[in-house]
Amino acid sequence: LVHSPTRPSIHFSPLLKNMPPSKYLQPIAICFLIAFIAIDVINDRRPQKESGKIRESSGTQSPKGRGSGSLDLDWLTSLNFTTKKKEFKNRAKPIPREEWAKIDNTACINQKKGAASDLQDYQRRAPYVLLIGAMKAGTSSLNTYLQEHSNVMTLGKKELHFYDFAFHKFISEEGILRSDARAAYRKTYERNIDVPMLKKNKNKIALDDSPRYLFWSERVPARVLCVTPWVKILAILRNPIDRAFSQYNMFSNHPGKTGNSTAFTFDEWIANDIEDMVETGVLQDKIAYADFRNSLEEEAAWKAYTRLGSHAPIGRGLYALQLRQWFKAFEEAGKSLHDIFVIQSELMKEEPNLVYGDVLEFLGLPHEPLKDSGKKLVGTYKSVLSPDTRKMLEQLYTPYNQELYELLGEDWAGVWDP
């Protein structure tokens, strides 16, 4: 059949005019059959709206495969979800949705006339750098190394948590109250360091080591850039599976930190967290990660997830998502990304002197040899991570790790690949 460009009708070509119907009708019928099969396949693969529950499936994956971002979550059905919300107590109180609009208002309100009227000179060195995480990735060891340096002040309290748990006091309907926040931050340091020494010696600096800052990437960067826009940022990242298992062992060794009176397995704990991630939409098994990442839908899902107040053993390992939000906040504020330095936890363990030297250079501190490079804070493990669970988590983290390698450059390529 040929369509004439000058006439809206359909006519037979000369080749078909004298041909018996059986010769051309059979190929036409085959074409229609192929078209119907193709339409059926397309409809079958089109994403369907679901309630957020783990779907039942035959276990087949989409043609895009996991490497390009589609997540096959069928294996989650093998984990135990019976403890959901019943035995696992939250790390913090969930944030009610009616308070979200106030938290999301990141306008920086200068309450006094004059841009620096509420800022004392030494406060630009307290804090001078924020160690934002990740939790159980080596922040304590790095903190210990840094405080050996003659120009780094020792704090009476290791983790200040200024920008997370108590910061709501400095947020109004109009935005972030910068003057009030700066005054409170200054008083926090006055209670924890030798302020006269800090004022006297212009080379002295202090840090704020609070690992939750990385995880709360959807709200902490704006607070930091409003109140202390001069700070440098240090982040240390560990294989997300090892990090989660370390967090589990810390809590199982210290039940009071979780508030759980009954024992629980690592599989039960991560299943609880992954279900939260599925229900809030952070984990998608219908949409390829390459299409979902950096979307408004992902941003909204991450916001909902981080405001649950949970321990988030698996979510804390989505480093690419968190760093992407930190990078975006810096770029929007006109602050250089050279003020962010990201460290491999495994490299610091193997080559502590090398990493220590790189950090001193980043902070602009004079080089000093590390006094005790063997000093490491190592926890004890009472359980063993099963190979099957590790394999499952490797599958889950693959697209996130691939994006992280792209974000941080060739030095990170494949560092946690199986």
Side-chain angles (χ1 to χ4, degrees), residues 118-383:
D118 57 344
L119 180 64
Q120 295 189 22
D121 174 67
Y122 79 87
Q123 194 174 359
R124 291 185 178 273
R125 293 177 283 115
Y128 179 78
V129 57
L130 304 184
L131 180 48
I132 63 174
M135 180 186 188
K136 304 308 296 177
T139 56
S140 295
S141 292
L142 181 57
N143 189 336
T144 301
Y145 292 157
L146 284 173
Q147 296 205 18
E148 290 182 0
H149 196 280
S150 60
N151 284 352
V152 178
M153 302 286 291
T154 301
L155 272 68
K157 183 179 180 181
K158 175 179 173 287
E159 297 181 4
L160 299 181
H161 289 288
F162 179 77
Y163 284 114
D164 45 36
F165 294 127
F167 197 82
H168 63 275
K169 295 181 292 187
F170 312 113
I171 302 176
S172 69
E173 299 296 335
E174 290 75 31
I176 300 170
L177 304 176
R178 184 170 69 180
S179 299
D180 288 353
R182 281 182 176 173
Y185 211 1
R186 184 166 58 243
K187 290 179 181 178
T188 298
Y189 275 95
E190 289 172 351
R191 292 192 298 267
N192 285 280
I193 60 174
D194 184 349
V195 173
M197 174 64 74
L198 187 66
K199 290 180 177 180
K200 180 179 179 181
N201 191 331
K202 302 291 185 181
N203 295 321
K204 295 284 187 181
I205 66 169
L207 57 82
D208 178 351
D209 174 5
S210 299
R212 184 170 288 267
Y213 292 171
L214 174 63
F215 176 58
W216 278 10
S217 56
E218 41 79 41
R219 75 194 91 155
V220 169
R223 298 171 179 181
V224 170
L225 291 166
C226 174
V227 181
T228 52
W230 59 84
V231 295
K232 293 178 178 290
I233 301 296
L234 274 174
I236 181 167
L237 308 180
R238 180 183 184 183
N239 182 309
I241 303 172
D242 298 331
R243 193 222 63 80
F245 193 59
S246 178
Q247 183 183 359
Y248 165 74
N249 280 277
M250 178 183 70
F251 287 155
S252 61
N253 291 340
H254 304 89
K257 289 193 174 186
T258 60
N260 292 294
S261 58
T262 58
F264 52 90
T265 68
F266 178 66
D267 282 7
E268 289 172 335
W269 199 41
I270 65 171
N272 183 78
D273 186 37
I274 293 170
E275 187 177 345
D276 281 341
M277 297 169 74
V278 172
E279 289 181 349
T280 54
V282 172
L283 289 182
Q284 296 279 339
D285 66 343
K286 293 292 188 181
I287 306 173
Y289 179 62
D291 298 328
F292 183 63
R293 70 181 185 184
N294 210 22
S295 64
L296 293 177
E297 291 77 11
E298 184 194 50
E299 183 179 327
W302 184 249
K303 185 181 297 183
Y305 171 67
T306 59
R307 295 177 184 189
L308 293 176
S310 66
H311 291 280
I314 301 304
R316 287 177 184 269
L318 305 186
Y319 304 133
L321 191 162
Q322 297 161 53
L323 284 177
R324 192 190 328 123
Q325 293 188 336
W326 273 91
F327 291 173
K328 180 181 178 182
F330 268 50
E331 289 172 339
E332 290 178 348
K335 186 171 173 62
S336 173
L337 293 182
H338 291 295
D339 285 337
I340 300 178
F341 191 70
V342 182
I343 302 164
Q344 291 178 23
S345 177
E346 293 81 4
L347 181 60
M348 188 179 76
K349 184 177 180 180
E350 295 174 3
E351 301 284 349
N353 288 284
L354 173 65
V355 171
Y356 181 64
D358 289 344
V359 172
L360 295 185
E361 182 178 352
F362 167 70
L363 297 177
L365 294 174
H367 178 73
E368 292 181 3
L370 191 56
K371 297 175 183 177
D372 185 4
S373 61
K375 188 185 299 182
K376 300 181 181 69
L377 303 177
V378 181
T380 57
Y381 288 11
K382 295 181 179 179
S383 59

Side-chain angles (χ1 to χ4, degrees), residues 13-40:
S13 71
L15 291 175
L16 299 179
K17 189 172 182 180
N18 299 317
M19 186 180 294
S22 59
K23 293 291 186 180
Y24 57 80
L25 289 180
Q26 186 176 7
I28 292 173
I30 293 174
C31 289
F32 276 112
L33 179 60
I34 292 173
F36 282 125
I37 292 173
I39 292 171
D40 185 64

